[in-house]
Each structure stands twice: as C-alpha cells, then as structure tokens.
Amino acid sequence: MLTYIKIYEEEKANKDTKILPTGKKDSGAERAKMLSKPRYLCMTVKANGKVRLHKVKKTSATSFHIGRTWHLDEIKSIENVDGRRWTVVINRPYAWVADTSELKNDFLMMLLKVLRSNLKKLPALINIDEPAITTQFNVTREANTPMSSRISRAAPISNNNSSGSLSTPTGSFVQDFENRLSIQTERMKRSAAPLTPSLGSTIAPAGGAGPMGERNGAKFMDETDPLDEVALMNLEELLYDMDLASSEDGVALETRLMKELNSLEMANIYSIIESDDRIKDVMAELDKGIEELDDMDSWLSLYRQELDSMGDDIRQIESQNRGLQVQTSNQASLLRELENLLFSITIPDRVIETLKKESLEWESGIRKIEEAAAEIQGVLLAKYDEDVAGMSAVRGRMELYNFHCESFAGRLADFLKNKLQTQTDQLLGDKQRTLSKGYVVMFGYEPIESYFIAYRGLILWLKEMDPTRRFTELQMHLVNNLNRLVRKELKEFFNILYTHHVAKLEKPDDSEFVFGSTHHGGLISRGGTAIRESLSSPSDLTGRIPWRKRSTRDIHEMTTRDRNSTLYESSRRIDVGPEEKLAVDDAFAQALTIVTAVAARGQNYMSDLFTLTKMMSLKMFLNDTPPFSLQELDTKRKPAMDVKSSKRLTQLMGILFDGLSVELNNLADNGFKNESVQCVGMLISVERVQKQFADSDQAFLITMLTQLHTKLVGMFEKYVEEQLKFIEEARNKTKRKGVLPFMRIFPRFAEKMEALLDGDNDIEARKMITSAYDKLVRVMFESTEAVAKETVDSDDKEQGSHVVNIENMHHFYSEIRQRKIPNLENYMKYAKSSYESHLETYVRGVVRKTLLKLLDFFDGVEGLVKAKASEDVAFHLTYNKQALKKVVASYPAATIRKDLAHLYKKVEKHFSSEEEEGLLQVAWRGIQEEFIRQHERFSRLINECYPDAGVQMEFSMNELLGFFSDIAKSHH
C-alpha cells in the first residue's frame, strides 16, 4: 500500500447518513447533501507496478472489506471543491469529504505524483493549486520533523519545481537517507498506530485508529514494523531527491548502494592506517614472515612431488598384480566354460547311428529315433554368444551335426512319402470300396490315419528343423495323394446317389407343391369345375417311384449292411435300400451331413498330424505326449489362436476337398431343375449344418457352406417368384367356379414347409418361408377377388361372385386351421371373416329374390315406423290395409313351397364343388334362418301397424319349417 485516507461520501439523506457540519446556514441544497458512513480510500501498487485505488469499508473492529477498485487510467477528472471536499469523476462523479484539509492535501499530493509517474496523459485538474498544495505538504512535513533531525541535514529541501517534485539534497547519499528515515520515524512515533492491510480483499488495522491517526495524512502501512512502513512510504521521495531513477529494478539499486557502502568502508580503513606510525613496522615484519613461509612452501612442494612419484610406482605394481590375478582366474573360468561347451555340443555316436540306421517301421524304433532327433535338435537350436558361435571348434561341430540332421530329414521325408503313396494306391485298388445300388458310402481313409499318426512326433521335428522345404513338401504330398482318394469317392458317392436313389418327376416341376403344375390336375376341369386328383401322401406322386421322406435329424442313426464294417469304422453310409428312392432334399441332407463330417474329420487329422494349431516342440511332445484317438477326430474344436496356422490349414483343406463344393452344387442344381420346391429342404439342411459348425475351427467348411447357402437362397427366391407368376396367370386360365387351383395347392405347400422346418424357428429359413407365405397369400387373395369379380352366373352375376369367395375362403380357412400353422394365423382369420361376410350377403340376396315384394313392402313400413307413429302407417296411401292384403295374398303357402324347392336347386348348383361339399348345408341352413327371421319380422310389423286389419301371413311358421324339412328329407 502506498497511502490511504479516511473519507465520507456525499449522497442523499437516508436513515443511515448524517448531516454535513458546515457551520453555515442551511439552504435547501445544503440540507439535501448528507454524508454516508466513513470509508477509506487506499492507493496500492501490485508486483507488476500497476497502481490502483480502492474504496474500503470497515466491517468490524479488526477487519476491512474492499468495496470498489479502479485503475488510474479510469480517472477522468479531479476537482478541488473547498478545504475538505473534492470530486473525482471515474465512471460517475464521486464527492468525498476528508476530516481535515491537511489530510486531503497530503493525499492529493501523493495521488498527483503517482499519476505523473504512471500515466502519459493526466486527467483534468479543476481548481487545484499544485504549488500551494506542495508548499503545505512540505510545511506539514517539516513541522512533524524533530529539530535534531533538521539541524543534522546538510541543506534544506527547496520547492522550486513547479510540478511539485522534491529537489536533490546535498551531502552524501547515505547521510541523507539516514536523516529522512529518522524524520519519518519520529513522525510515526507521534502519530497514532496506522491501519495495517491484510491479505486478500480485507484490511485489518494493527491498532486502534484514533482521531490523531486519522488526521495524520497519508501513511505507508505494513503488517509488522512501523519503521518499515516509514521507509516504504517515502522510498520514492528519497530516490527522487537523491537523483536515483525510480524505474530501476531492485537488483540494480542494491548493487549501487553496496558500491557506495564499500567505498565508504575503504575510505575509513585507509584513514585509520594513515593516522598511526607503528603500522610501517608491522608491515615490515609481515613481509619477512611471508618470505619465510614461501621458502617452507617450496620445500614442501619438492617433498610432495617425491611422494607422488613413489605412490605412482606402488599403484602400478599393485595394478599389475591384480591384472595377473584376474587373468589367471579368467583363464581358469574359460577352460571350464570350454570344457562345458564341448561337452554340451558333443553328441554321442549312438545318437548319430540311431538317426542313420534305426528302422522307421516299428514303434520302438520310432521312439528311439524321436529321442535321438530331440537330442541333436537341442544342440543345433541352442543359442550361443556371437563369439562362442564363431569359434572354429563350435562351427565344425555344428556343420557336422547339420549334415547328419539334413541326411535324416531326407530319409524321414522319403520314407513317409513312399508309405503314403503305397497306402493310397492300395485303397484306390480295394474292390471292397466299390459303390453300388443300395450301398452309398463315404469310406474315408481311416487306415492312413491310423498308420501315419504314429509319426507326428517326427513330423513335428521336421517342422522345426526344415519348415520351408521338406515339411511343406510332405504336407503337399499328403493332401495331393489323399485328394486322389477323396475325389474318386466323392464322385462315385454323388453319382450313385443321384442316379439310383433320388426320386425324379416324369415332368420337371410337376409336383403337388408347384402352383403351375399340370400333373395334379391344377387346370383340368371336371363337370365345369376346376379340380385335381387328391394326393394324400408323397408315395402317390407316381405309380412307379417308391420313395420316402426321413427327418434330417435321424441321418446320423445309420448302420452298415452286408460289408465288413469293422474294417472301415470311419465309413459314412446313406440309409437306403437297393430299390429305394429318396426325395431330393432328403438325399441332399444325408449326403451333406456325411461329406461335411468326413471333411471336418480330415481337417482335425491334419491339424493333429502336422501340429498346426498348437504351440509345441519335440521336447515338449516327448515329455507330455498329447493323447490321440480316432474318435476324437469327429469332435468339434474351438477356433485356433494362431491365424497363420489356421490359414495354412484352410489352404490344405481347399486342396484335399477341392471337388466337394462342385458335387454339392451339382446335386442342388439337378434337384432344383427336377422339383424346384426341394430347394427349401436343401436350404434348411445347409443351415442346420452351419449351426453345427458355428464357433468352430472349420473355416473351410464354413466358407463352403456360406457359398452354398447363398446359392440356395437365390433358388428359393426364384421359386417364390415363379409361384407368384403362376398364380397371376391362373386368373385367365381357370374357370370361374369352385376352389381355385392355387387355393388347393397352398395348404399342402405350407404343410410341407412346416414339416421341413421341423420346429426349427431360430434359423434363417424360418424368416424366408414366413416372408414367402406373406407374398403368396396376398397374391392369392387378390387373385381370388379378381376371379370373383369376373365370374358370370347364368342367373345372377353378383351371387356368382359371392360363391367364388365363399368356396375359396372357406377352403383356405378350413385347410390351414386343420394343419395348425401359427405363422398363417392372421390370414386364416381374414379368410374366415371374408367367408362369413360373403355368405351372409349371398343368403340375403337369394332370400330377397324369393320374397322380393314382401321385403320391399315391409321395408317401407319399417321406414315409416321409424319416422311416424306405428298407428299412422295404416292410413298411408301406399302402405294401407288394402296394400297389405294384396301383397300378403301374393305369397300363398303353395307358392312358397315351390319357390323354396327351386331355390334349393339353385343353391345346390352353386355349391357343387367336391372339395367343399359341406358348404351346401351351411348355405341352406343360413337361408332357412333368414326365412324364419323375415317371417317373424313380417308378423311383428303386421301386429304393430295393422292390429285391426285381421290380416296374417298366408303361410305360418310351422308350414315354413315343414317346407324346409321336406326339402331336406328329399335330398338325403
């Protein structure tokens, strides 16, 4: 803080203000000016040199709070009003009053100095006499300075600067500084204890602020010592008086003061020395002592050099001694290491002899060779330092062992290749593996699996020692030889299966499940009605092809017959008799299950034989040989972590089973061409096998099945589009009577789809079939409506349209309800609603045609009853009693009997379809109920509107019921 002053701020009167004590007569304006509570105006400087004004409020006896803060450049003008008042314009005018004029002038003097030193342009100064304020400031300062301090000063302070700055004092800098410090100290002692600012936005006084302290003008303040406050308050004034730049930093100022102090001390010492004569004698003795010390130092230097020389010699001897000891120890260690190295890289001759001559045919010999191969592998693959590996002895041994290792690798690879070639040729020439009618088998290659698995330890050694050449050549030799066997078996398997055991239609796509088929009588008319021969079971498809349908869930429960099944335990056989035929989808499902099982087993075998999916060395293999059994080859395995090995395994499978995808696609194409609906069963079979191999390591099979699935999905979509086209074409080709062909076919089609799904609702085929249902049923319903609108009846075109809708919707509803297909529930409800609506309309239409006059008359009567009172109807010109008698007399009982008999014949003609025989009784029952309802309505209106007419219907209710009973008896 630079300085502060206690002020009162003028404002309008309120309950918290007091009247300004001016001593003059109060005018209206003067009475309006009141003083607020006291505040403190403080001027502070920050560490970066920025000066700010603060208006501080005393919040308690020991603390203060900063209310407002302004920067110097925010001051617009300063106006001196009178002795105690002045006005400062910042963001608005502020009128302040000090306790005394001296305090106000001291604060203004300090404020002007700070403004000049910090601003390029001063604010407007109004009614301010700067010389007078400066003079008063100096007089006040001199009055507060003790007499001893004023006398001790070398020269007085003049006021010859118009700007109010103090002149530079005469005398030394240090003396003037001490004088000014003493002046300020005496001044502070006479003043009351100053206010001490606290950190933050609150200022706490160091002691009580009495009246004298408040009138003592601008003061410097600190938290601890009043002397420091005095020094800080007048530091800028002292610097200016002593011709020191106030802009200099603290380091430069300190340096300058220290120079002055050093000069003063040197002058004082020199003055003391010059004033005493004994100093010369002392100096002479000192010089003599220094010379003697120099002599002693030279002797000591020579002695030290001799000692250093002797020490160097001793250290050299000791170093040589240690070197000899280290050399001796190192040579001993090297000798031991060389002996250990030679021992570690030395392989006994028996090991080399075992690799050269031991037989690979027997299990005992294989075990000995594995141990010998592991031993030589441990030496060759051991890691040595670069220096050790470069030793001639080590290089010679390694070259020798590499030669033996290379020789054994060639011997092993040639042996395995020859054995593989021989066994493959034997299996290819085995006549027991020939397929025939009723014997469709995938034998596999179990004998080769059993034989070569004994060599997996040596194959693992070959993989580690020569992975790029001999190991790769062995892999390719194995898959190429087995491919000859697998390709031959696949070709025979699918050829025998499709040629002898797959049911084929005499005419392609002429099955009961194809909407455009002509075989089942879809467009053959009988008695003017489009009908077909009912096929109650798939065995009725043709008279010459006995075939049966199995569930694809029972495919794995097959047994071999008439052959040596123990010889080929891994064989897979189609469960079919010599003359037995299978549906395409059934044959495809069984074949797919068998060949994928064989392929999965082949991948597992190659993985185990070549150790492709496990990180293992020959040493680990010998210490803990992994168990192996042929049954484990049929188990599902999780995906391997080694991506590179998995990719290599997939490549080998692609070579081994390169003909599998072709054969499956050919079977699917041939089956689709013969009977397109079979693509659904094939698609479901593929999805079930995909589900079986999901989350397994069978990448080859998964890819192949995905491609096959995509192909079958395309076939199914094509099949559905063809059926939609057939339904559209049926509008123009079908006679407009009876159950339409596509309405007969769809229930059987839906039943077959549900049978193929066999409850698997979580496969993709379920969604595809449901979507096909939606498309087919919508087009069927639209086509039925179109056919109904175009139907022409000999008697009544409108009734013919209703008959078509009734027959077809009733057929759809009853057939789907009988089969209980949940996915068609909504369409079944729609068909029922449509059937009931058209039946009701049909019944009302035929009844109206029979009782036309009665219905027209009583409909008019009923309309009048709704508009007028019932007793007024008899007086209406059109519906009077005479009109009633006339219309009732026109329908005697005999006429009603005759009309009903004629009506029955007409209804019988409408509902003569063999598929919907029960509709005649349903329709006739509805007509009977409508007649009864109308008779009751007629009688009720007569009694209500013509109570005194004495008219009744010519035929009673009992007579009407008798007529219907007679008709029913005559036709049963």
Side-chain angles (χ1 to χ4, degrees):
M1 179 183 291
L2 296 177
T3 185
Y4 73 94
I5 185 173
K6 182 178 181 181
I7 59 170
Y8 300 91
E9 191 170 34
E10 292 185 354
E11 60 182 22
K12 292 184 178 181
N14 55 51
K15 65 180 182 178
D16 295 330
T17 58
K18 62 182 179 179
I19 301 174
L20 177 65
T22 59
K24 300 179 181 179
K25 293 183 179 181
D26 293 337
S27 62
E30 290 294 331
R31 285 194 302 271
K33 293 181 180 179
M34 301 296 176
L35 297 182
S36 64
K37 290 184 178 180
R39 299 288 186 269
Y40 293 90
L41 191 62
C42 303
M43 184 161 51
T44 63
V45 59
K46 297 179 68 177
N48 58 5
K50 297 291 184 179
V51 181
R52 298 182 298 176
L53 282 177
H54 306 279
K55 187 169 72 173
V56 181
K57 175 183 178 182
K58 186 176 182 181
T59 58
S60 67
T62 59
S63 63
F64 295 81
H65 179 73
I66 296 176
R68 297 294 302 271
T69 299
W70 302 285
H71 294 282
L72 294 182
D73 53 3
E74 295 183 42
I75 300 176
K76 308 301 181 183
S77 65
I78 302 174
E79 180 182 0
N80 185 18
V81 179
D82 57 21
R84 293 167 53 197
R85 291 191 186 89
W86 79 97
T87 301
V88 178
V89 178
I90 305 178
N91 52 355
R92 67 179 182 84
Y94 289 92
W96 290 325
V97 180
D99 287 336
T100 63
S101 60
E102 291 81 1
L103 294 176
K104 183 197 74 172
N105 291 335
D106 288 350
F107 185 82
L108 286 178
M109 183 64 192
M110 184 61 69
L111 178 60
L112 292 175
K113 284 186 177 184
V114 173
L115 289 173
R116 281 194 173 86
S117 61
N118 287 275
L119 299 180
K120 295 181 179 180
K121 182 180 179 181
L122 291 176
L125 303 178
I126 304 172
N127 197 22
I128 294 178
D129 188 0
E130 291 187 61
I133 294 175
T134 302
T135 302
Q136 184 178 352
F137 176 78
N138 291 332
V139 171
T140 303
R141 185 179 62 181
E142 291 295 336
N144 292 330
T145 303
M147 182 60 66
S148 59
S149 299
R150 281 181 283 174
I151 294 173
S152 63
R153 296 187 55 167
I157 299 174
S158 62
N159 233 353
N160 53 5
N161 194 337
S162 60
S163 64
S165 63
L166 300 178
S167 63
T168 304
T170 61
S172 67
F173 176 84
V174 178
Q175 182 180 4
D176 186 75
F177 182 81
E178 292 176 350
N179 292 336
R180 290 179 179 272
L181 184 60
S182 63
I183 293 171
Q184 297 299 336
T185 303
E186 292 296 330
R187 182 180 178 182
M188 291 301 298
K189 289 180 179 179
R190 292 194 303 270
S191 63
L195 294 174
T196 303
S198 62
L199 297 176
S201 62
T202 306
I203 301 174
M212 187 60 189
E214 295 176 358
R215 292 192 301 271
N216 234 358
K219 303 177 182 61
F220 288 96
M221 304 169 65
D222 193 85
E223 294 182 356
T224 57
D225 193 357
L227 294 179
D228 293 338
E229 297 176 5
V230 174
L232 291 174
M233 184 183 73
N234 288 328
L235 179 59
E236 184 178 357
E237 179 183 355
L238 292 174
L239 294 175
Y240 185 81
D241 292 344
M242 297 175 184
D243 197 19
L244 295 175
S246 61
S247 61
E248 285 189 280
D249 58 4
V251 176
L253 181 59
E254 181 182 6
T255 303
R256 188 168 178 182
L257 291 174
M258 291 302 297
K259 287 182 179 180
E260 291 286 341
L261 184 59
N262 290 335
S263 299
L264 182 59
E265 290 178 350
M266 290 174 64
N268 289 335
I269 293 171
Y270 184 75
S271 175
I272 293 171
I273 292 174
E274 288 295 329
S275 63
D276 196 342
D277 295 335
R278 292 175 296 176
I279 295 302
K280 294 180 180 180
D281 297 334
V282 174
M283 294 301 294
E285 293 296 330
L286 288 174
D287 292 338
K288 185 178 179 180
I290 290 172
E291 291 177 359
E292 292 177 356
L293 290 174
D294 290 338
D295 293 338
M296 293 174 65
D297 184 63
S298 62
W299 284 105
L300 290 174
S301 296
L302 291 174
Y303 180 68
R304 181 174 181 178
Q305 290 176 0
E306 292 296 330
L307 291 178
D308 289 341
S309 178
M310 293 175 65
D312 293 338
D313 295 338
I314 293 172
R315 283 191 292 273
Q316 185 177 2
I317 294 172
E318 291 177 347
S319 176
Q320 291 177 353
N321 186 29
R322 286 195 298 271
L324 291 173
Q325 292 178 356
V326 172
Q327 184 178 4
T328 304
S329 176
N330 289 340
Q331 289 177 351
S333 299
L334 179 60
L335 180 60
R336 289 193 299 272
E337 289 294 331
L338 289 175
E339 291 175 352
N340 293 334
L341 177 62
L342 291 175
F343 178 78
S344 64
I345 64 174
T346 300
I347 298 176
D349 293 339
R350 59 176 178 79
V351 174
I352 303 300
E353 291 299 319
T354 300
L355 295 178
K356 287 182 178 181
K357 299 180 180 180
E358 188 66 40
S359 174
L360 289 166
E361 294 284 350
W362 311 106
E363 184 176 354
S364 58
I366 295 174
R367 186 64 181 177
K368 291 179 181 179
I369 293 175
E370 287 178 347
E371 294 175 354
E375 189 169 351
I376 194 172
Q377 181 188 32
V379 173
L380 291 175
L381 297 183
K383 294 183 180 180
Y384 303 103
D385 294 338
E386 184 177 355
D387 296 334
V388 174
M391 296 173 63
S392 59
V394 176
R395 288 201 309 271
R397 289 296 181 97
M398 292 300 169
E399 290 174 359
L400 177 62
Y401 296 153
N402 276 321
F403 171 76
H404 291 302
C405 183
E406 183 71 16
S407 299
F408 172 70
R411 176 187 172 215
L412 174 63
D414 293 340
F415 172 82
L416 293 177
K417 290 178 182 178
N418 293 332
K419 283 294 182 181
L420 182 62
Q421 183 79 26
T422 302
Q423 294 204 14
T424 303
D425 293 339
Q426 289 177 356
L427 292 179
L428 287 172
D430 188 357
K431 294 182 179 180
Q432 290 186 349
R433 297 170 67 93
T434 303
L435 304 185
S436 62
K437 290 175 62 176
Y439 190 67
V440 188
V441 181
M442 277 295 296
F443 293 101
Y445 41 87
E446 182 179 347
I448 295 177
E449 292 174 352
S450 301
Y451 182 83
F452 280 93
I453 200 64
Y455 297 94
R456 57 177 174 162
L458 293 177
I459 294 174
L460 176 60
W461 177 87
L462 190 65
K463 173 185 176 182
E464 294 179 329
M465 300 306 297
D466 194 1
T468 57
R469 190 165 68 92
R470 286 196 171 90
F471 179 70
T472 304
E473 289 176 357
L474 181 62
Q475 285 180 336
M476 297 306 298
H477 193 79
L478 174 71
V479 295
N480 287 329
N481 276 275
L482 292 181
N483 174 256
R484 293 191 297 140
L485 183 63
V486 171
R487 179 176 290 189
K488 175 179 176 294
E489 290 190 357
L490 285 174
K491 188 174 182 179
E492 292 181 358
F493 178 84
F494 282 99
N495 186 34
I496 296 295
L497 175 64
Y498 186 75
T499 303
H500 300 288
H501 297 290
V502 173
K504 303 177 186 65
L505 299 175
E506 293 182 356
K507 183 178 180 182
D509 261 348
D510 193 20
S511 72
E512 60 177 336
F513 308 110
V514 180
F515 291 84
S517 172
T518 58
H519 168 76
H520 47 66
L523 299 177
I524 300 175
S525 75
R526 176 185 295 175
T529 303
I531 62 172
R532 69 162 189 86
E533 297 177 359
S534 175
L535 299 178
S536 59
S537 66
S539 61
D540 297 329
L541 182 60
T542 64
R544 301 187 304 275
I545 304 178
W547 63 280
R548 57 196 176 94
K549 176 70 180 177
R550 290 184 192 84
S551 171
T552 55
R553 297 180 183 273
D554 300 330
I555 293 174
H556 295 291
E557 301 176 2
M558 298 182 291
T559 59
T560 58
R561 306 172 188 172
D562 304 328
R563 297 294 177 104
N564 188 0
S565 59
T566 59
L567 180 62
Y568 305 110
E569 293 181 357
S570 62
S571 300
R572 300 290 186 272
R573 179 177 177 180
I574 297 290
D575 186 15
V576 65
E579 301 298 329
E580 192 174 5
K581 301 287 185 179
L582 300 175
V584 174
D585 56 350
D586 187 11
F588 181 87
Q590 291 196 48
L592 181 65
T593 302
I594 291 172
V595 296
T596 52
V598 172
R601 179 187 179 92
Q603 175 171 319
N604 292 339
Y605 177 72
M606 283 195 297
S607 175
D608 292 344
L609 181 64
F610 296 122
T611 320
L612 293 177
T613 57
K614 296 180 181 179
M615 301 300 294
M616 183 179 292
S617 64
L618 180 58
K619 185 176 181 181
M620 295 170 60
F621 179 85
L622 295 176
N623 293 335
D624 186 14
T625 303
F628 176 82
S629 65
L630 294 176
Q631 289 74 21
E632 288 294 325
L633 295 178
D634 294 322
T635 59
K636 177 180 175 181
R637 299 182 181 182
K638 295 182 179 180
M641 301 299 294
D642 189 357
V643 179
K644 184 177 179 181
S645 298
S646 299
K647 186 176 180 180
R648 177 60 179 168
L649 191 57
T650 304
Q651 293 174 350
L652 295 176
M653 286 292 295
I655 298 173
L656 177 57
F657 290 92
D658 59 348
L660 178 58
S661 178
V662 176
E663 296 295 340
L664 287 172
N665 279 278
N666 289 338
L667 180 59
D669 290 335
N670 293 330
F672 183 75
K673 289 178 183 178
N674 184 255
E675 189 176 2
S676 57
V677 72
Q678 299 295 338
C679 68
V680 182
M682 292 187 286
L683 176 63
I684 294 173
S685 300
V686 171
E687 289 191 9
R688 284 174 177 158
V689 176
Q690 279 183 312
K691 188 176 180 181
Q692 176 185 350
F693 289 108
D695 300 327
S696 71
D697 62 343
Q698 300 290 335
F700 168 76
L701 283 178
I702 292 173
T703 303
M704 185 197 71
L705 292 172
T706 301
Q707 296 172 351
L708 185 60
H709 181 269
T710 303
K711 181 185 181 80
L712 290 171
V713 168
M715 290 181 176
F716 180 72
E717 292 175 350
K718 181 180 179 181
Y719 165 76
V720 173
E721 292 298 327
E722 289 178 350
Q723 306 318 303
L724 295 175
K725 183 179 178 181
F726 291 149
I727 294 172
E728 292 285 346
E729 292 175 352
R731 297 182 183 181
N732 302 322
K733 296 181 180 179
T734 306
K735 291 187 177 182
R736 317 301 182 187
K737 212 168 189 182
V739 179
L740 298 175
F742 48 79
M743 282 292 189
R744 297 193 207 101
I745 297 170
F746 181 79
R748 293 192 298 275
F749 166 79
E751 183 179 17
K752 179 177 177 63
M753 296 299 103
E754 297 300 320
L756 291 173
L757 287 170
D758 199 13
D760 281 345
N761 294 323
D762 57 343
I763 59 178
E764 185 178 351
R766 168 80 273 174
K767 298 179 182 178
M768 296 178 61
I769 291 174
T770 302
S771 176
Y773 286 163
D774 295 338
K775 293 179 182 179
L776 292 172
V777 173
R778 289 179 186 275
V779 174
M780 285 166 48
F781 285 175
E782 292 173 0
S783 299
T784 302
E785 292 291 339
V787 171
K789 291 179 181 179
E790 297 174 4
T791 300
V792 178
D793 187 74
S794 58
D795 298 327
D796 191 343
K797 178 179 179 180
E798 181 179 357
Q799 297 303 323
S801 174
H802 291 311
V803 169
V804 171
N805 279 296
I806 291 170
E807 286 184 323
N808 285 277
M809 292 301 176
H810 181 267
H811 181 81
F812 182 89
Y813 166 73
S814 59
E815 291 292 327
I816 298 302
R817 184 184 62 175
Q818 181 181 356
R819 288 168 172 82
K820 298 179 180 180
I821 302 175
N823 295 80
L824 294 173
E825 186 73 23
N826 293 333
Y827 293 109
M828 185 181 67
K829 292 179 180 179
Y830 174 81
K832 180 182 179 182
S833 175
S834 177
Y835 148 73
E836 292 175 349
S837 174
H838 284 285
L839 179 62
E840 182 180 358
T841 305
Y842 171 82
V843 168
R844 289 183 179 180
V846 296
V847 171
R848 171 168 286 279
K849 198 169 184 180
T850 304
L851 303 175
L852 181 62
K853 293 181 181 180
L854 281 173
L855 287 172
D856 288 343
F857 181 83
F858 283 103
D859 287 345
V861 171
E862 197 168 35
L864 288 176
V865 170
K866 292 179 180 179
K868 299 180 180 180
S870 57
E871 55 269 14
D872 296 337
V873 174
F875 301 99
H876 194 277
L877 182 62
T878 306
Y879 302 102
N880 54 26
K881 296 179 181 180
Q882 290 76 14
L884 173 65
K885 293 178 180 179
K886 181 179 179 180
V887 71
V888 170
S890 62
Y891 286 93
T895 302
I896 293 299
R897 176 191 290 273
K898 181 179 178 182
D899 290 344
L900 287 177
H902 177 72
L903 179 60
Y904 183 85
K905 293 180 180 180
K906 184 177 181 181
V907 174
E908 185 179 25
K909 180 181 178 181
H910 285 161
F911 298 102
S912 60
S913 174
E914 294 181 2
E915 294 92 340
E916 301 297 327
E917 294 180 353
L919 279 178
L920 175 61
Q921 286 74 24
V922 174
W924 187 247
R925 187 183 304 108
I927 292 172
Q928 179 179 343
E929 292 174 355
E930 181 65 16
F931 262 95
I932 294 173
R933 189 179 69 81
Q934 293 297 339
H935 187 280
E936 292 176 348
R937 184 170 75 101
F938 298 158
S939 300
R940 176 178 56 79
L941 290 174
I942 291 173
N943 294 330
E944 181 180 350
C945 300
Y946 307 96
D948 300 330
V951 178
Q952 297 292 333
M953 296 295 296
E954 293 292 326
F955 59 95
S956 66
M957 179 66 71
N958 292 330
E959 290 177 329
L960 181 63
L961 294 176
F963 297 156
F964 279 103
S965 178
D966 294 339
I967 292 173
K969 291 177 181 179
S970 64
H971 289 84
H972 289 284

